[in-house]
Amino acid sequence: MKKSILVTGGAGFIGSHVVRRFVNKYPEYSIFNLDALTYAGNMENLKDIEHKENYTFLHGDITDEVFVNSIFEKYRFDSIIHLAAESHVDRSITDPLAFAKTNILGTMILLNAFKELWKGNWEEKLFYHISTDEVYGSLGENGLFEETTPYDPNSPYSASKASSDHFVRAYGETYGLPFVITNCSNNYGQNQFPEKLIPLFIHNIINNKPLPVYGDGNYTRDWLYVIDHAIAIDLVFHQGILTDTYNIGGFNEWKNIDLVKLLCQQMDEKLGRAIGSSSQLIAYVKDRPGHDLRYAIDASKINKELGWNPTVTFEEGLSKTIDWYLGNKEWLANVTSGNYQNYYKEQYQ
Ligand code: NAD
Ligand code: TYD
């Protein structure tokens, strides 16, 4: 069936993998990518598909209500996959208002445009909201986040995502807007901006710079390869039950320091450096304020109901990720020039 799908944030890390998958796999769908091209958005991420007939790029901001309404009117999207967001916890600590604006207000503007366009004619329509496991707050040493875990966000980033999740649900309850939400764990893979742990440390190892591990390094995250997330999004988009939430995770918990040691080992091998040389770059630095101790996802619902499972092990995914960064040094050089240098100085010095 033909569909007109708006993907927001499609020039970013996860969004670019979602856009590529949908454009290539569903030539009968029209895929529109709305992106403001902030520091995190990069047209290079979609070079390979930008010429495709079923793909259109729309440069604009989700917080610009007039613009958003105009494109809804013009293209009459029947489905939205909403990924556009400010996505980095550290930046949310320095500039929380930017997160409220994009993540909360931007989501509301999209919800409202969708509501106004279809005015209750909801057949074959879908608003798919991409969220994070961070809305659930922090776990202790044991336990897993389930879909029923109460929201308890701790950072301005997770609070803004939690708020946007609530607005999606509220539009569902109040106006009958058809929605589905997924809450995913930490993603890694190619095209991730080098502010998040894994690409930042790959970049620093290449350049022999210190690896700033926050606090004692005993914080735990569940890691998922970005292409496995895109596969899950495809499944939920087509088969997810309306008004349901699905947790997505890698069944793959790592303490930061153990992950960093594995990364150092793989980097030494790939760069032909003496084993142990990259780990000498590890530098324990001041902790992140409000740092969540542990995230871990129970992804059994999406596994049982939709048959989803990660396709790569962490060791394989990490190896592919490093290979991509080593093979795309120009991409890395471009995104780390200019403003990145100021960001890095302010964050780490
Ligand atoms: P990202 O920061 O790499 O990309 C965000 C994209 O959104 C960029 O292309 C940026 O230009 C665009 N954008 C930002 N503000 C915008 C605005 N006002 N209008 C239009 N476009 C705007 O983010 P990501 O890591 O790809 O995350 C995508 C989504 O997935 C986010 O909603 C995030 O909360 C969620 N998520 C991310 C992770 C993760 O580990 N990265 C995990 C779970 C959920
Ligand atoms: P990050 O990639 O920022 O993702 P999130 O905060 O959304 O989980 O961080 C992952 C973990 O790595 C988190 O516990 C914070 C830690 N971390 C560092 O120790 N040093 C760093 O420079 C960064 C960016 C993160």
Side-chain angles (χ1 to χ4, degrees):
M1 192 211 297
K2 275 181 81 69
K3 279 190 173 297
S4 175
I5 305 174
L6 176 68
V7 180
T8 68
F13 167 48
I14 302 170
S16 61
H17 291 282
V18 171
V19 167
R20 175 175 299 100
R21 183 174 179 88
F22 275 69
V23 165
N24 286 334
K25 194 171 165 201
Y26 304 108
E28 70 278 23
Y29 295 174
S30 298
I31 308 297
F32 297 84
N33 171 16
L34 166 58
D35 200 296
L37 298 179
T38 68
Y39 76 92
N42 189 342
M43 295 296 273
E44 287 295 312
N45 292 347
L46 291 166
K47 266 255 157 298
D48 55 320
I49 57 108
E50 66 185 7
H51 60 282
K52 296 268 177 130
E53 261 181 31
N54 63 338
Y55 173 69
T56 306
F57 179 67
L58 303 169
H59 187 197
D61 192 318
I62 58 167
T63 67
D64 180 345
E65 192 178 359
V66 173
F67 173 75
V68 168
N69 287 341
S70 73
I71 60 169
F72 273 68
E73 194 57 45
K74 180 167 181 191
Y75 298 107
R76 304 185 71 77
F77 312 114
D78 46 54
S79 317
I80 322 288
I81 306 178
H82 176 36
L83 296 110
E86 289 293 338
S87 68
H88 189 39
V89 173
D90 291 330
R91 288 184 194 256
S92 83
I93 295 167
T94 27
D95 188 7
L97 290 185
F99 283 66
K101 187 174 177 205
T102 292
N103 299 358
I104 307 174
L105 182 63
T107 301
M108 289 187 69
I109 286 174
L110 291 168
L111 286 164
N112 226 44
F114 201 45
K115 168 174 95 63
E116 287 304 309
L117 176 64
W118 295 112
K119 298 196 188 316
N121 175 17
W122 292 130
E123 212 176 311
E124 302 293 335
K125 312 294 188 307
L126 177 65
F127 192 104
Y128 180 177
H129 182 59
I130 306 295
S131 192
T132 166
D133 61 352
E134 303 191 26
V135 298
Y136 298 122
S138 182
L139 292 163
E141 293 295 330
N142 300 307
L144 299 171
F145 294 136
E146 294 170 11
E147 284 81 359
T148 51
T149 302
Y151 277 28
D152 190 19
N154 292 314
S155 72
Y157 165 63
S158 53
S160 67
K161 291 297 290 186
S163 174
S164 65
D165 294 10
H166 291 319
F167 273 109
V168 174
R169 253 180 248 287
Y171 270 68
E173 280 295 322
T174 309
Y175 307 109
L177 183 143
F179 74 90
V180 64
I181 300 175
T182 49
N183 296 83
C184 188
S185 64
N186 287 57
N187 283 217
Y188 70 97
Q190 49 266 52
N191 308 91
Q192 188 170 31
F193 191 80
E195 61 184 353
K196 308 274 167 55
L197 180 72
I198 290 178
L200 179 85
F201 279 29
I202 292 174
H203 180 239
N204 284 12
I205 292 172
I206 293 172
N207 293 294
N208 269 310
K209 282 172 61 178
L211 307 177
V213 172
Y214 295 158
D216 61 6
N218 284 320
Y219 295 90
T220 300
R221 299 289 182 264
D222 170 282
W223 293 92
L224 178 68
Y225 190 50
V226 64
I227 291 174
D228 281 326
H229 190 188
I231 293 171
I233 289 172
D234 184 354
L235 265 179
V236 172
F237 178 84
H238 289 99
Q239 295 173 38
I241 306 288
L242 289 184
T243 74
D244 261 21
T245 283
Y246 297 86
N247 282 350
I248 306 173
F251 305 100
N252 179 40
E253 277 185 60
W254 286 79
K255 277 196 183 348
N256 290 343
I257 190 63
D258 297 333
L259 183 161
V260 171
K261 285 181 182 160
L262 173 67
L263 178 68
C264 287
Q265 189 194 320
Q266 289 202 1
M267 290 292 289
D268 284 342
E269 284 162 14
K270 288 177 194 286
L271 292 169
R273 293 181 184 170
I275 297 297
S277 50
S278 296
S279 61
Q280 285 177 13
L281 297 169
I282 293 172
Y284 291 93
V285 298
K286 198 164 80 115
D287 211 346
R288 172 188 279 174
H291 199 164
D292 286 332
L293 177 67
R294 177 171 164 259
Y295 304 145
I297 280 269
D298 177 356
S300 56
K301 176 175 171 183
I302 187 169
N303 170 260
K304 285 198 193 100
E305 292 186 11
L306 305 184
W308 175 87
N309 250 325
T311 63
V312 294
T313 65
F314 188 55
E315 285 75 3
E316 286 164 352
L318 194 59
S319 170
K320 281 176 195 246
T321 303
I322 298 170
D323 288 345
W324 185 84
Y325 282 96
L326 292 178
N328 288 275
K329 289 212 175 108
E330 209 177 312
W331 184 97
L332 205 45
N334 285 341
V335 301
T336 53
S337 63
N339 285 340
Y340 182 82
Q341 301 299 329
N342 298 334
Y343 163 76
Y344 199 87
K345 240 187 243 151
E346 274 170 32
Q347 181 63 31
Y348 293 102
Q349 279 169 20

